[in-house]
Amino acid sequence: MPKNLKQYAQVPTRLTGGHRLCPGCGEPTAARQVLMATDKPVVVANATGCFEVSTTIMPYTAWAVPWMHIAFENAAATVSGIEAMYVSQKAQGNIPADADYRFVAFAGDGGTYDIGLQALSGAAERGHQFLYVCLNNEAYMNTGVQRSSASPYGAHTTTSPSGSHSPGKKAFQKDLTAIMAAHDIPYVAQSISGRWRDLTAKAEKAFECGGPAFINVLTPCPLGWIADASESVNLAQLAADCCVWPLYEVENGVWKLTYKPKEKLPIDEYLKKQGRFKHLFKGAEGEAVRAKMQEYVDTKWELLKQKCGEA
């Protein structure tokens, strides 16, 4: 039975205030919701990115748990190594037999979809018990809003600029959640930082699934999305309501939708609130790109419903 809000409020704070993440950033909200989902001691590995640099401004830290910074590509390799050491030390009697720790890695989409995918795939295949959380703001925000393979088709970034010769990014984003589900690990899910019940319930399952777990969390970035900071929660919810970012889980191979919008909204409702898509609302070319995006979202949504037994 998932905890209620009152019970979550009693969980010790593991990521404190005082960090320097931007107002409206979805990352600290998502991370705190994940960390509230277990009462067990937690060890965190954190790849380079916005979340890492902004929570550890030397000589200060916002972390109240054991925490290790590693390079972009190493989050999964590091957290699986820590977990392996823990298992070995317990077997040698150096850690009490009744100790019961949980291990979690946080990394952005650049460190997960691109640079760290090899390490993540290997750690999942080896079967370590850890939770990997991708804080997905759909670009390399920490180094100047360069496109990643999580950036949406048509999005303006500094390395996929919109202009007279380009409609923005020319490729659709990689479906990493489905790739992780193809590893046949115990638990895989997608969520957003704006629906705390959805994310915490998934994190509770992930922590206790007994093996590798992966959660891909859409975390709006006011800077890179060129959006009002006060709109972050609404933008995440719109992504779910437009089925641009469906909420679902794959538990021991069983696919399940965890949120079905009462009315599936057109993607324009989501796009028009973000400056990175502003160019798509000018002229026939922009209209054609939006139509292609809507077709892509509709196709992926129907395929997902089939996998979840909803079609």
Side-chain angles (χ1 to χ4, degrees):
M1 174 69 73
K3 296 186 183 72
N4 58 40
L5 195 57
K6 188 175 181 179
Q7 291 170 314
Y8 280 127
Q10 296 170 352
V11 175
T13 300
R14 288 160 163 162
L15 175 65
T16 69
H19 55 70
R20 297 185 184 178
L21 286 155
C22 299
C25 175
E27 292 186 345
T29 304
R32 292 188 71 166
Q33 290 170 352
V34 167
L35 292 170
M36 285 193 301
T38 181
D39 294 322
K40 307 288 175 55
V42 172
V43 178
V44 173
N46 193 180
T48 296
C50 293
F51 192 51
E52 174 267 324
V53 300
S54 298
T55 56
T56 55
I57 304 295
M58 188 177 179
Y60 305 107
T61 178
W63 292 95
V65 294
W67 175 92
M68 178 176 284
H69 165 231
I70 58 270
F72 252 129
E73 71 276 20
N74 295 341
T78 299
V79 77
S80 61
I82 295 171
E83 189 264 358
M85 180 275 295
Y86 162 78
V87 172
S88 174
Q89 291 296 310
K90 281 188 77 172
Q92 296 176 56
N94 297 325
I95 294 177
D98 60 352
D100 193 10
Y101 280 67
R102 295 295 178 268
F103 305 91
V104 57
F106 291 105
D109 51 285
T112 305
Y113 280 64
D114 300 335
I115 305 171
L117 181 55
Q118 178 180 345
L120 175 57
S121 178
E125 186 272 335
R126 292 192 299 272
H128 298 275
Q129 183 175 355
F130 70 98
L131 166 59
Y132 189 107
V133 179
C134 177
L135 300 172
N136 184 355
N137 54 26
E138 300 186 326
Y140 289 84
M141 303 305 186
N142 181 47
T143 50
V145 195
Q146 297 93 352
R147 60 94 85 184
S148 76
S149 59
S151 301
Y153 177 73
H156 168 89
T157 74
T158 54
T159 50
S160 62
S162 61
S164 56
H165 298 288
S166 173
K169 191 188 174 201
K170 297 179 180 178
F172 286 102
Q173 64 267 50
K174 188 185 297 177
D175 190 350
L176 185 61
T177 309
I179 292 171
M180 292 311 299
H183 284 69
D184 292 330
I185 57 178
Y187 192 79
V188 173
Q190 277 194 178
S191 190
I192 54 176
S193 57
R195 292 183 72 87
W196 69 269
R197 177 71 279 172
D198 184 86
L199 179 53
T200 54
K202 288 171 176 171
E204 284 187 35
K205 290 183 179 181
F207 277 123
E208 301 304 321
C209 72
F214 174 82
I215 303 179
N216 201 347
V217 189
L218 187 69
T219 54
C221 171
L223 172 68
W225 293 18
I226 315 176
D228 192 316
S230 66
E231 285 286 331
S232 289
V233 170
N234 294 333
L235 277 174
Q237 183 60 51
L238 267 176
D241 287 337
C242 296
C243 299
V244 169
W245 190 259
L247 308 187
Y248 68 95
E249 64 183 5
V250 186
E251 188 173 10
N252 296 314
V254 179
W255 293 64
K256 179 184 177 184
L257 288 176
T258 57
Y259 174 70
K260 289 183 285 187
K262 292 180 180 178
E263 178 187 2
K264 179 171 173 286
L265 300 177
I267 62 167
D268 283 359
E269 297 298 314
Y270 175 66
L271 303 181
K272 68 185 182 184
K273 290 181 175 291
Q274 303 172 61
R276 60 177 176 161
F277 299 116
K278 183 178 180 181
H279 57 287
L280 300 181
F281 289 87
K282 299 176 182 176
E285 185 180 3
E287 186 175 354
V289 172
R290 283 166 29 229
K292 190 173 180 179
M293 295 169 76
Q294 183 69 66
E295 181 182 5
Y296 174 82
V297 167
D298 291 344
T299 300
K300 295 285 286 186
W301 175 242
E302 291 303 318
L303 289 172
L304 178 60
K305 286 199 299 181
Q306 291 175 21
K307 290 179 179 177
C308 297
E310 298 279 350

mmCIF file of all heavy atoms in Angstrom, residues 23 35 45 56 63 72 102 111 115-116 150-151 180 187 215 258 260 275:
data_model
loop_
_atom_site.group_PDB
_atom_site.id
_atom_site.type_symbol
_atom_site.label_atom_id
_atom_site.label_comp_id
_atom_site.label_asym_id
_atom_site.label_seq_id
_atom_site.Cartn_x
_atom_site.Cartn_y
_atom_site.Cartn_z
ATOM 1 N N PRO A 23 14.581 28.514 -10.492
ATOM 2 C CA PRO A 23 13.161 28.498 -10.135
ATOM 3 C C PRO A 23 12.371 27.785 -11.234
ATOM 4 O O PRO A 23 12.590 28.023 -12.420
ATOM 5 C CB PRO A 23 12.794 29.980 -10.063
ATOM 6 C CG PRO A 23 14.089 30.693 -9.814
ATOM 7 C CD PRO A 23 15.132 29.881 -10.540
ATOM 8 N N LEU A 35 13.091 10.140 -3.453
ATOM 9 C CA LEU A 35 13.786 9.799 -2.207
ATOM 10 C C LEU A 35 12.832 9.635 -1.028
ATOM 11 O O LEU A 35 13.167 8.966 -0.046
ATOM 12 C CB LEU A 35 14.825 10.885 -1.899
ATOM 13 C CG LEU A 35 16.005 10.937 -2.877
ATOM 14 C CD1 LEU A 35 16.847 12.186 -2.648
ATOM 15 C CD2 LEU A 35 16.864 9.693 -2.750
ATOM 16 N N ALA A 45 24.287 8.026 -6.290
ATOM 17 C CA ALA A 45 25.324 8.351 -7.277
ATOM 18 C C ALA A 45 24.721 9.373 -8.233
ATOM 19 O O ALA A 45 23.577 9.243 -8.655
ATOM 20 C CB ALA A 45 25.747 7.101 -8.040
ATOM 21 N N THR A 56 25.738 21.006 -5.198
ATOM 22 C CA THR A 56 27.019 20.829 -4.496
ATOM 23 C C THR A 56 27.956 21.982 -4.830
ATOM 24 O O THR A 56 29.023 21.785 -5.404
ATOM 25 C CB THR A 56 27.682 19.494 -4.886
ATOM 26 O OG1 THR A 56 27.812 19.460 -6.319
ATOM 27 C CG2 THR A 56 26.853 18.314 -4.437
ATOM 28 N N TRP A 63 22.865 17.697 0.058
ATOM 29 C CA TRP A 63 22.589 16.274 0.258
ATOM 30 C C TRP A 63 22.757 15.884 1.721
ATOM 31 O O TRP A 63 23.769 16.194 2.338
ATOM 32 C CB TRP A 63 23.505 15.434 -0.618
ATOM 33 C CG TRP A 63 23.182 15.595 -2.073
ATOM 34 C CD1 TRP A 63 23.774 16.459 -2.958
ATOM 35 C CD2 TRP A 63 22.171 14.907 -2.797
ATOM 36 N NE1 TRP A 63 23.187 16.343 -4.192
ATOM 37 C CE2 TRP A 63 22.201 15.390 -4.122
ATOM 38 C CE3 TRP A 63 21.244 13.914 -2.464
ATOM 39 C CZ2 TRP A 63 21.334 14.936 -5.108
ATOM 40 C CZ3 TRP A 63 20.386 13.457 -3.446
ATOM 41 C CH2 TRP A 63 20.430 13.958 -4.741
ATOM 42 N N PHE A 72 29.837 12.150 -16.528
ATOM 43 C CA PHE A 72 28.610 12.019 -17.316
ATOM 44 C C PHE A 72 28.203 10.563 -17.555
ATOM 45 O O PHE A 72 27.053 10.177 -17.394
ATOM 46 C CB PHE A 72 28.845 12.648 -18.701
ATOM 47 C CG PHE A 72 28.119 13.947 -18.914
ATOM 48 C CD1 PHE A 72 28.806 15.060 -19.362
ATOM 49 C CD2 PHE A 72 26.763 14.053 -18.703
ATOM 50 C CE1 PHE A 72 28.156 16.265 -19.591
ATOM 51 C CE2 PHE A 72 26.099 15.244 -18.925
ATOM 52 C CZ PHE A 72 26.799 16.351 -19.375
ATOM 53 N N ARG A 102 19.373 0.924 0.123
ATOM 54 C CA ARG A 102 18.918 1.099 -1.258
ATOM 55 C C ARG A 102 19.885 2.021 -1.991
ATOM 56 O O ARG A 102 20.488 2.910 -1.379
ATOM 57 C CB ARG A 102 17.500 1.689 -1.292
ATOM 58 C CG ARG A 102 16.440 0.757 -0.708
ATOM 59 C CD ARG A 102 16.282 -0.503 -1.530
ATOM 60 N NE ARG A 102 15.302 -1.434 -0.959
ATOM 61 C CZ ARG A 102 15.608 -2.419 -0.111
ATOM 62 N NH1 ARG A 102 16.873 -2.591 0.265
ATOM 63 N NH2 ARG A 102 14.689 -3.211 0.350
ATOM 64 N N GLY A 111 23.346 12.342 -20.048
ATOM 65 C CA GLY A 111 24.128 11.292 -19.414
ATOM 66 C C GLY A 111 23.454 9.940 -19.438
ATOM 67 O O GLY A 111 24.058 8.943 -19.019
ATOM 68 N N ILE A 115 25.452 9.562 -23.512
ATOM 69 C CA ILE A 115 26.802 9.225 -23.049
ATOM 70 C C ILE A 115 26.814 8.002 -22.135
ATOM 71 O O ILE A 115 27.749 7.218 -22.160
ATOM 72 C CB ILE A 115 27.421 10.433 -22.328
ATOM 73 C CG1 ILE A 115 27.384 11.661 -23.244
ATOM 74 C CG2 ILE A 115 28.851 10.152 -21.937
ATOM 75 C CD1 ILE A 115 27.780 12.950 -22.556
ATOM 76 N N GLY A 116 25.769 7.829 -21.305
ATOM 77 C CA GLY A 116 25.806 6.754 -20.320
ATOM 78 C C GLY A 116 25.014 5.517 -20.664
ATOM 79 O O GLY A 116 24.877 4.609 -19.832
ATOM 80 N N ALA A 150 17.232 12.904 -26.552
ATOM 81 C CA ALA A 150 15.916 13.009 -25.914
ATOM 82 C C ALA A 150 15.167 14.257 -26.372
ATOM 83 O O ALA A 150 13.990 14.427 -26.052
ATOM 84 C CB ALA A 150 16.066 13.043 -24.398
ATOM 85 N N SER A 151 15.835 15.145 -27.092
ATOM 86 C CA SER A 151 15.166 16.372 -27.562
ATOM 87 C C SER A 151 14.085 16.038 -28.585
ATOM 88 O O SER A 151 14.311 15.212 -29.471
ATOM 89 C CB SER A 151 16.187 17.317 -28.200
ATOM 90 O OG SER A 151 17.202 17.671 -27.291
ATOM 91 N N MET A 180 14.771 0.286 -22.259
ATOM 92 C CA MET A 180 15.042 -0.314 -20.940
ATOM 93 C C MET A 180 14.066 -1.450 -20.645
ATOM 94 O O MET A 180 14.437 -2.457 -20.032
ATOM 95 C CB MET A 180 14.963 0.764 -19.849
ATOM 96 C CG MET A 180 16.093 1.791 -19.932
ATOM 97 S SD MET A 180 17.740 1.071 -20.072
ATOM 98 C CE MET A 180 17.840 0.123 -18.553
ATOM 99 N N TYR A 187 11.519 -3.688 -13.195
ATOM 100 C CA TYR A 187 10.624 -2.526 -13.167
ATOM 101 C C TYR A 187 11.150 -1.382 -14.028
ATOM 102 O O TYR A 187 12.315 -0.984 -13.913
ATOM 103 C CB TYR A 187 10.443 -2.017 -11.725
ATOM 104 C CG TYR A 187 9.319 -1.027 -11.614
ATOM 105 C CD1 TYR A 187 7.995 -1.463 -11.559
ATOM 106 C CD2 TYR A 187 9.559 0.345 -11.600
ATOM 107 C CE1 TYR A 187 6.938 -0.557 -11.493
ATOM 108 C CE2 TYR A 187 8.517 1.248 -11.531
ATOM 109 C CZ TYR A 187 7.204 0.794 -11.481
ATOM 110 O OH TYR A 187 6.167 1.686 -11.421
ATOM 111 N N ILE A 215 13.396 4.581 -13.978
ATOM 112 C CA ILE A 215 12.271 5.507 -14.108
ATOM 113 C C ILE A 215 12.736 6.715 -14.913
ATOM 114 O O ILE A 215 13.742 7.346 -14.576
ATOM 115 C CB ILE A 215 11.725 5.968 -12.748
ATOM 116 C CG1 ILE A 215 11.294 4.760 -11.898
ATOM 117 C CG2 ILE A 215 10.530 6.891 -12.943
ATOM 118 C CD1 ILE A 215 10.756 5.148 -10.516
ATOM 119 N N THR A 258 -0.675 4.176 -16.292
ATOM 120 C CA THR A 258 -0.985 4.641 -14.936
ATOM 121 C C THR A 258 -1.759 5.960 -14.958
ATOM 122 O O THR A 258 -2.134 6.472 -13.907
ATOM 123 C CB THR A 258 0.306 4.825 -14.117
ATOM 124 O OG1 THR A 258 1.176 5.740 -14.795
ATOM 125 C CG2 THR A 258 1.014 3.484 -13.948
ATOM 126 N N LYS A 260 -4.657 7.879 -17.763
ATOM 127 C CA LYS A 260 -5.353 8.009 -19.051
ATOM 128 C C LYS A 260 -6.121 9.328 -19.046
ATOM 129 O O LYS A 260 -7.068 9.485 -18.274
ATOM 130 C CB LYS A 260 -6.316 6.831 -19.262
ATOM 131 C CG LYS A 260 -5.616 5.513 -19.532
ATOM 132 C CD LYS A 260 -6.602 4.396 -19.802
ATOM 133 C CE LYS A 260 -7.266 3.953 -18.515
ATOM 134 N NZ LYS A 260 -8.120 2.753 -18.706
ATOM 135 N N GLY A 275 8.790 28.491 -25.833
ATOM 136 C CA GLY A 275 9.495 29.240 -26.853
ATOM 137 C C GLY A 275 10.333 28.367 -27.777
ATOM 138 O O GLY A 275 10.615 28.759 -28.909
#
